[in-house]
Amino acid sequence: PEVPALPTFALQKAISTTNREYNRDYWTGTVYTTNKRVWEHREDFKEYLRSLRPIAIDMETATIFVAAFKNRIPAGALLLVSDIPMVPDGVKTEKSDKHVTENFVNLHLKIGIDSLMQLINESLTIKHLRF
């Protein structure tokens, strides 16, 4: 089943502000998350994705969003897009992965940490998981 994940406005604001402070562009939009392996080689699935028109496809954050949805916790994700598998030359390679890691991962982490610090410094409350 598809689960809508709606980010908290405070988190969205903190991330967008921090990105701007680092003079970085950012995009917001629908991200399709899936556990399908090697989906980028399945034309039927890629056609389905084209019909949905997501701005990105993710394989790691589904668990976070399901837990947040179940517990009514506003959630968001700051994703670092490392490949463009919907186009033939966009599938991640060892070389492209190394380039992204060397050039963008540290900045990505700084933006994430600084965004969370904004939330902490403004004393915004955070809900906790219920089991």
Side-chain angles (χ1 to χ4, degrees):
E2 294 180 16
V3 177
L6 304 173
T8 173
F9 179 75
L11 181 58
Q12 177 73 32
K13 180 180 174 218
I15 289 172
S16 72
T17 299
T18 305
N19 267 293
R20 288 326 222 170
E21 288 171 356
Y22 279 93
N23 294 315
R24 304 303 301 178
D25 286 330
Y26 65 97
W27 293 264
T28 62
T30 303
V31 175
Y32 186 93
T33 187
T34 182
N35 63 354
K36 295 183 188 310
R37 302 296 299 154
V38 296
W39 62 264
E40 59 271 22
H41 301 291
R42 290 190 41 206
E43 284 305 317
D44 60 330
F45 187 67
K46 287 172 68 173
E47 191 59 39
Y48 172 69
L49 290 173
R50 284 186 197 97
S51 74
L52 296 177
R53 298 176 29 202
I55 65 161
I57 294 92
D58 167 70
M59 295 183 70
E60 290 80 29
T61 58
T63 303
I64 294 168
F65 285 113
V66 168
F69 183 78
K70 169 72 175 146
N71 289 279
R72 296 190 169 122
I73 298 172
L78 175 60
L79 301 176
L80 175 59
V81 178
S82 59
D83 56 340
I84 310 167
M86 293 294 281
V87 297
D89 294 334
V91 176
K92 187 185 299 186
T93 64
E94 187 175 336
K95 181 180 176 182
S96 68
D97 185 51
K98 184 177 179 182
H99 173 76
V100 168
T101 300
E102 289 174 352
N103 294 288
F104 301 103
V105 168
N106 285 336
L107 177 60
H108 186 75
L109 289 172
K110 286 179 187 177
I111 290 170
I113 292 167
D114 287 353
S115 297
L116 292 175
M117 293 304 294
Q118 277 188 48
L119 296 173
I120 291 168
N121 291 337
E122 292 179 22
S123 299
L124 297 174
T125 60
I126 299 172
K127 290 184 177 182
H128 296 281
L129 292 174
R130 294 185 306 269
F131 294 98

